[in-house]
Amino acid sequence: MRRVLVSLCAVVAAVTTGCAGGTDDGDGRAPQDPRPRALTWQQELRVADAQQRLTKQCMERRGFTYREDRGLTLEESRPVRYVQDDVAWARTYGYGGRIEAKSLRVHERNPNGTYRQDLSPSRRVAFDTALDGGDGARMLTASLPGGGETRKRVGGCTEEAERALYGDPAEWYRTGKIATGLNALYGKELMEDRRLTAAVRAWSRCMKKAGLPYEDPQAAREAVRVDTGRLGAARADEAFAAERRTAVADATCARETSLRAVATARETYYLDRLRDRFGKDIDTYRHLGRRAYDRAVRIVPERD
């Protein structure tokens, strides 16, 4: 159980990142709460697409070709979190195994990397400088809630795009590392939370009744991954059918046991206890994200 809930801390929290599965756009708080809401995964994707569009326009102004990556549809881009309770999505995509393979193929054929490699050495340096500032770019630093520091190079068209969306790339980076890293401070308590562990046990009992005796969602997915590898390419259709059956049962049991609602509520509880220390940074991060989304809708359409 401990291994599983470590994964839960990192991937279930709509309350911090707004990326939990499902179609709602809430973050576990009442609608009248005046604090800024986290972005949904659909909104985050649109912001990312807008950043690519702005980067492309900037690179073209500097004399380079730059291709946007929109290889996946909107539904294919849905993040598969620890708690996945969308039965219809699972029936079509399973756990997203084929989507992962498609995404890998898209990135392996990255046209920007190919374009860069075909440039002369001097033009390659110019391309790098135009894109992210090259070796002379400034470094952003951010302290992590659990201790330590992280750094990011920023410059060129990447910085220009971030500035157009978020306003201050440094503030966006700093508050983002805080808001998305808070689980390091409450992870142990969440892992041992009685309500959460009870919900996971209820999910496991539900799965056992369906003939799938897994301790937790991560165990189910790991088993599917192992079976897919064992069956190989020659039996890929059989493997995918099994993946979908397990994913549908997983999502169905998650709904029947309200696992996502329990997980989100418990993480909200632990996160709210940190608001006296980090509330301003969380709200700033969400506010900058909201502002970026408002700008993104004027730059790119939502994916089909």
Side-chain angles (χ1 to χ4, degrees):
M1 181 66 69
R2 182 177 179 85
R3 171 187 55 79
V4 175
L5 294 180
V6 169
S7 299
L8 178 66
C9 294
V11 298
V12 77
V15 293
T16 298
T17 65
C19 291
T23 57
D24 62 274
D25 65 352
D27 54 10
R29 293 184 282 102
Q32 66 271 20
D33 193 320
R35 293 175 295 181
R37 293 178 297 164
L39 297 182
T40 65
W41 66 265
Q42 297 98 324
Q43 292 169 333
E44 288 186 336
L45 181 64
R46 195 162 181 179
V47 172
D49 285 345
Q51 184 169 335
Q52 287 195 77
R53 178 66 53 84
L54 292 172
T55 301
K56 175 179 183 291
Q57 293 170 348
C58 175
M59 291 294 285
E60 289 178 344
R61 290 197 304 271
R62 299 189 183 197
F64 295 101
T65 297
Y66 188 87
R67 296 282 296 276
E68 300 172 51
D69 178 8
R70 295 173 68 95
L72 300 180
T73 67
L74 181 64
E75 280 303 296
E76 289 174 335
S77 301
R78 176 191 294 271
V80 181
R81 303 296 173 183
Y82 177 86
V83 181
Q84 206 304 85
D85 61 357
D86 189 322
V87 178
W89 195 91
R91 189 171 290 118
T92 301
Y93 299 105
Y95 287 123
R98 288 190 167 178
I99 296 173
E100 289 181 14
K102 177 182 177 180
S103 181
L104 181 60
R105 291 193 299 270
V106 169
H107 287 290
E108 285 176 345
R109 298 194 298 264
N110 181 359
N112 293 319
T114 301
Y115 171 77
R116 178 185 178 278
Q117 284 302 117
D118 290 340
L119 296 173
S120 68
S122 61
R123 287 288 288 168
R124 199 174 302 150
V125 171
F127 178 91
D128 294 343
T129 301
L131 181 60
D132 61 13
D135 293 338
R138 67 187 178 112
M139 298 295 297
L140 302 181
T141 61
S143 297
L144 301 175
E149 188 177 82
T150 182
R151 307 176 73 194
K152 169 188 172 182
R153 188 171 67 180
V154 64
C157 291
T158 300
E159 179 176 8
E160 181 177 310
E162 289 188 3
R163 191 172 297 282
L165 291 168
Y166 302 109
D168 182 355
E171 186 71 351
W172 166 251
Y173 181 68
R174 184 189 68 79
T175 58
K177 290 302 178 183
I178 291 173
T180 59
L182 289 173
N183 54 45
L185 302 182
Y186 58 76
K188 185 176 186 296
E189 290 180 275
L190 180 60
M191 288 187 289
E192 298 172 351
D193 185 272
R194 290 185 297 106
R195 297 181 193 179
L196 184 54
T197 55
V200 174
R201 288 194 298 270
W203 175 94
S204 182
R205 290 192 297 270
C206 176
M207 290 290 281
K208 188 174 182 179
K209 290 178 182 178
L212 298 164
Y214 297 115
E215 180 184 1
D216 49 67
Q218 187 62 33
R221 294 171 202 190
E222 288 179 357
V224 164
R225 189 173 295 111
V226 169
D227 287 346
T228 298
R230 177 178 56 82
L231 292 172
R235 301 171 66 185
D237 290 343
E238 179 183 345
F240 186 55
E243 175 186 335
R244 285 186 296 160
R245 283 195 299 272
T246 302
V248 167
D250 182 345
T252 300
C253 287
R255 279 191 173 274
E256 291 182 1
T257 59
S258 300
L259 180 55
R260 184 164 71 94
V262 172
T264 300
R266 298 316 295 157
E267 184 146 26
T268 299
Y269 168 75
Y270 291 109
L271 182 66
D272 281 349
R273 297 197 308 177
L274 298 172
R275 288 200 66 87
D276 60 334
R277 294 169 57 191
F278 300 105
K280 182 178 179 181
D281 291 319
I282 294 170
D283 290 344
T284 297
Y285 174 67
R286 292 179 177 180
H287 172 71
L288 293 176
R290 286 274 155 196
R291 184 165 66 181
Y293 176 71
D294 290 342
R295 293 169 176 174
V297 298
R298 298 192 293 269
I299 298 171
V300 290
E302 187 171 67
R303 294 195 192 188
D304 296 328

